[in-house]
Amino acid sequence: MLNGAARVFLAYLVARCRYMDDVLQAHLEGGLKQLVILGAGYDSRAYRMQRLQNRVQVFEVDHPATQRMKIKKLERILGKIPPHVTFVPIDFTLDSLAKLFEAGYNAEQKTLFIWEGVTQYLNQDAVDSTLAFVAHNAAPGSVIVFDYMYTSLLDGSTPRGEVKNVQMYSRISGERFRFGIERGSAEEYLRARGYEQIRDVGQPELLRMYFHGPNAGRTVADGYGIVSGVVKAPA
Ligand SMILES: C[S@@+](CC[C@H](N)C(=O)[O-])C[C@H]1O[C@@H](n2cnc3c(N)ncnc32)[C@H](O)[C@@H]1O
């Protein structure tokens, strides 16, 4: 049985996935041809969304260790990797996303970049270099959408159980939360890094969008944001 804090955090993870699915669906309506999933982990969009198959080239970028495990599992489940998916092993803290070019990424094609559940594990330099790569190597009009935690969760001024647990067990798990953006400043953060038409959603917007009808009695964790920005044309 989940306690209250775990339940609202789980609700946030579900809402985050739904929000990013909705962003992707909107881009598919707009004729999306290229999708880059950064830190893909076990993201299953390329396999569960029929509309991606045969129409959209999907690049799954991830840490080599995680990606190796995923490929093994996919081969076991699906028999073979579908042709619309290309794997690009990258450690964001060590490697350049330029590896995408070797994998066939087309910088002329408007692209959606989904970066879900990853920034919090990275350092500031890795986040900034990823945002810079996209701003400089994606066609104008391309979009990046990613989630982040508020810095108040990282510095403990807003205590949350799931954050405390990750930090407490970091020596065993090797995972630690490192990166956050101050509540209310994601727009300024992305604007300074070459993006426009920025949309930043947090708990109030997620509640308005998804927590009604049969979900009206539920709530979602506060402390996390999901932001998207459009790559500007060069001045
Ligand atoms: C919490 S999982 C999220 C996975 C997936 N995006 C999702 O939402 O289910 C974090 C992902 O970030 C990746 N990751 C963490 N640090 C990384 C790094 N330095 N370089 C590349 N990937 C990294 C992990 O391999 C893992 O796939």
Side-chain angles (χ1 to χ4, degrees):
M1 183 80 167
L2 291 175
N3 65 27
R7 230 185 351 256
V8 296
F9 180 60
L10 198 60
Y12 164 69
L13 296 182
V14 174
R16 176 178 86 186
C17 186
R18 168 67 192 273
Y19 180 84
M20 297 209 182
D21 276 1
D22 287 350
V23 170
L24 174 53
Q25 290 291 359
H27 279 79
L28 288 170
E29 300 294 330
L32 182 77
K33 293 277 184 308
Q34 187 165 255
L35 170 66
V36 177
I37 306 179
L38 298 166
Y42 287 155
D43 186 306
S44 60
R45 293 184 173 94
Y47 317 96
R48 68 178 160 85
M49 289 183 154
Q50 288 260 311
R51 288 185 70 185
L52 289 175
Q53 290 159 28
N54 306 320
R55 283 189 223 172
V56 180
Q57 188 57 45
V58 182
F59 294 90
E60 289 203 7
V61 176
D62 205 359
H63 193 282
T66 321
Q67 197 162 78
R68 266 194 302 275
M69 288 197 296
K70 181 173 188 177
I71 292 172
K72 266 195 199 151
K73 281 184 196 285
L74 284 171
E75 285 172 344
R76 207 178 60 229
I77 297 164
L78 302 176
K80 63 180 171 60
I81 305 299
H84 68 294
V85 183
T86 303
F87 292 98
V88 188
I90 281 181
D91 182 334
F92 291 120
T93 59
L94 301 174
D95 304 317
S96 160
L97 273 169
K99 263 190 163 182
L100 270 169
F101 288 110
E102 296 160 30
Y105 166 78
N106 178 0
E108 307 298 315
Q109 186 81 63
K110 262 193 208 171
T111 303
L112 174 64
F113 293 79
I114 292 181
W115 202 12
E116 181 178 3
V118 188
T119 62
Q120 40 276 54
Y121 298 103
L122 303 178
N123 56 36
Q124 176 86 54
D125 283 353
V127 173
D128 279 346
S129 59
T130 302
L131 290 173
F133 177 88
V134 173
H136 296 120
N137 295 281
S142 295
V143 170
I144 188 163
V145 56
F146 66 94
D147 58 290
Y148 63 94
M149 59 188 356
Y150 298 150
T151 44
S152 61
L153 268 64
L154 275 180
D155 66 24
S157 53
T158 306
R160 284 208 55 91
E162 68 275 6
V163 177
K164 202 168 143 207
N165 285 342
V166 169
Q167 306 301 55
M168 201 156 64
Y169 294 110
S170 65
R171 250 191 258 159
I172 303 166
S173 68
E175 286 187 337
R176 183 172 187 77
F177 289 143
R178 295 188 165 84
F179 174 82
I181 301 176
E182 203 178 315
R183 186 194 288 264
S185 65
E187 178 168 355
E188 185 189 334
Y189 185 84
L190 271 193
R191 203 168 291 289
R193 285 159 180 79
Y195 295 86
E196 60 185 5
Q197 297 172 56
I198 295 152
R199 182 167 188 226
D200 184 28
V201 308
Q203 188 206 39
E205 293 83 6
L206 293 174
L207 284 173
R208 259 200 307 280
M209 282 187 277
Y210 304 124
F211 291 78
H212 40 71
N215 294 317
R218 300 182 181 193
T219 189
V220 60
D222 189 18
Y224 301 93
I226 310 173
V227 65
S228 57
V230 175
V231 174
K232 272 198 300 204

